[in-house]
Amino acid sequence: MRARPGCAKEGPVSGKSQGERRTGLLNGFAAYGMWGLVPLFWPLLKPAGAVEILAHRMTWSLVFVAVALAFVRRWAWAGELIRQPRRLALVAVAAAVITVNWGVYIWSVNSGHVVEASLGYFINPLVTIAMGVLLLKERLRPVQWAAVGVGFAAVIVLTVGYGRPPWISLTLAFSFATYGLVKKKVNLGGIESLAAETAIQFLPAAGYLVWLTAHGESTFTSQGAGHAALLAATGVVTALPLVCFGAAAIRVPLSTLGLLQYLAPVFQFLLGVLYFHEAMPAERWAGFALVWLALTLLTADAWRSARRSRLAEFSVPRVEKPVSAAVDV
């Protein structure tokens, strides 16, 4: 299998050379960097509205991933998925919640709510933990409970500061946490999963674009070739970070990816404050400070847990296993 330039080929994390891990780390920075800087891209698509941009994103993402899958000749998963109605239904659920996530994010950026959108991805790990407790009956360590409690307090402070619940942040956080939960159950690779989801999104998205064109309201056909090219580029903007993320995920430890994930909302927050000049009154700073405290607690606890696991692994005496005749294919 050939790999895309700049993205490493698949393989297990363990046993990788220093060069391979460095490549994985660079891909991780590239993926989260692109996700963090994407608020600069959506305003370029005006005067297209959020729904039209969303429809183009769905349509062109399918085109991009179809070309990528044709390039690597990886189609066997599609036949298997079609023969598994339960997994296919889960893919449809994933497509629905990521549609909500994409649509709200595009609208929030183009409506001057970049900071509130960044908050959604800051609190996403806390929402994921809460969903694990409520839906999967997972048990939390005391530090994790403390982090969730601090995060809840942050939402209350921000509600007071905004004069309303931070619904943009909560919608983004809950939709993305639900998306992650469903994708875990579907168990498809990044490109394959995006292909399946956008295949489900394609018909309604394409139908909406045809309707816009028929009513003379499509900016794709009325704003010139440059604007049309930018709308078509939404497929690359959507899929390329996932390609690089997939390359990073198989090259660097999960704990490292856990830290890298904060790059995207940090970049988004800085863009909102420094580039888009969004207001940050004292109560909003207080709410964000509480969120960052909660994430610090989570990160420290995760590192301590990972360190204990490594120490426990090294303390267990290794037992030589008999050579098996079985070969993994």
Side-chain angles (χ1 to χ4, degrees):
M1 182 182 70
R2 296 174 64 185
R4 288 185 54 81
C7 297
K9 293 187 294 180
E10 295 182 18
V13 172
S14 59
K16 290 296 175 186
S17 68
Q18 191 68 24
E20 286 284 276
R21 293 195 178 188
R22 190 180 300 112
T23 300
L25 195 59
L26 289 174
N27 275 283
F29 276 112
Y32 285 109
M34 283 186 276
W35 280 324
L37 296 176
V38 77
L40 296 173
F41 178 72
W42 303 125
L44 299 178
L45 304 181
K46 293 178 179 180
V51 179
E52 183 181 1
I53 295 172
L54 176 63
H56 277 286
R57 186 177 190 181
M58 294 173 179
T59 304
W60 294 107
S61 292
L62 179 61
V63 173
F64 183 91
V65 295
V67 171
L69 287 171
F71 181 70
V72 297
R73 299 179 183 178
R74 212 156 62 203
W75 295 104
W77 60 272
E80 295 174 5
L81 181 62
I82 292 172
R83 292 191 294 270
Q84 298 175 310
R86 183 176 178 276
R87 287 182 79 198
L88 196 57
L90 287 173
V91 170
V93 172
V97 293
I98 201 60
T99 297
V100 172
N101 184 274
W102 287 356
V104 171
Y105 186 76
I106 292 168
W107 176 86
S108 63
V109 170
N110 283 0
S111 301
H113 299 284
V114 177
V115 169
E116 192 174 348
S118 74
L119 176 64
Y121 294 105
F122 275 125
I123 66 176
N124 177 65
L126 301 171
V127 172
T128 300
I129 288 176
M131 290 179 66
V133 173
L134 296 174
L135 301 179
L136 304 179
K137 308 301 179 185
E138 294 179 354
R139 298 181 63 181
L140 300 186
R141 294 184 292 274
V143 175
Q144 291 175 313
W145 276 115
V148 172
V150 172
F152 183 72
V155 171
I156 294 175
V157 170
L158 288 163
T159 298
V160 173
Y162 281 106
R164 58 170 175 79
W167 69 266
I168 294 174
S169 308
L170 295 174
T171 301
L172 291 173
F174 275 92
S175 61
F176 201 72
T178 303
Y179 179 66
L181 178 66
V182 174
K183 279 176 71 73
K184 186 175 181 180
K185 292 182 177 296
V186 173
N187 193 26
L188 271 178
I191 289 293
E192 292 87 349
S193 179
L194 183 63
E197 292 154 18
T198 50
I200 291 172
Q201 295 169 331
F202 180 79
L203 284 180
Y208 177 73
L209 293 176
V210 169
W211 182 87
L212 277 183
T213 303
H215 286 75
E217 298 178 13
S218 170
T219 63
F220 184 81
T221 56
S222 63
Q223 295 295 317
H227 179 73
L230 284 173
L231 286 172
T234 55
V236 178
V237 169
T238 299
L240 188 58
L242 280 175
V243 174
C244 291
F245 174 79
I250 60 175
R251 288 293 186 270
V252 299
L254 195 59
S255 57
T256 303
L257 281 180
L259 286 177
L260 287 176
Q261 73 172 324
Y262 297 130
L263 283 176
V266 165
F267 286 164
Q268 292 165 11
F269 175 79
L270 292 174
L271 283 174
V273 174
L274 301 177
Y275 182 80
F276 293 103
H277 304 293
E278 294 185 18
M280 281 294 291
E283 60 271 17
R284 217 168 283 179
W285 278 112
F288 270 85
L290 286 172
V291 170
W292 295 331
L293 173 60
L295 294 178
T296 301
L297 291 173
L298 276 185
T299 303
D301 181 68
W303 273 100
R304 184 161 52 250
S305 177
R307 184 170 180 272
R308 286 174 181 171
S309 297
R310 286 195 297 269
L311 290 175
E313 181 182 346
F314 287 130
S315 65
V316 176
R318 297 183 64 182
V319 178
E320 294 295 332
K321 293 182 180 180
V323 177
S324 171
V327 177
D328 290 333
V329 177

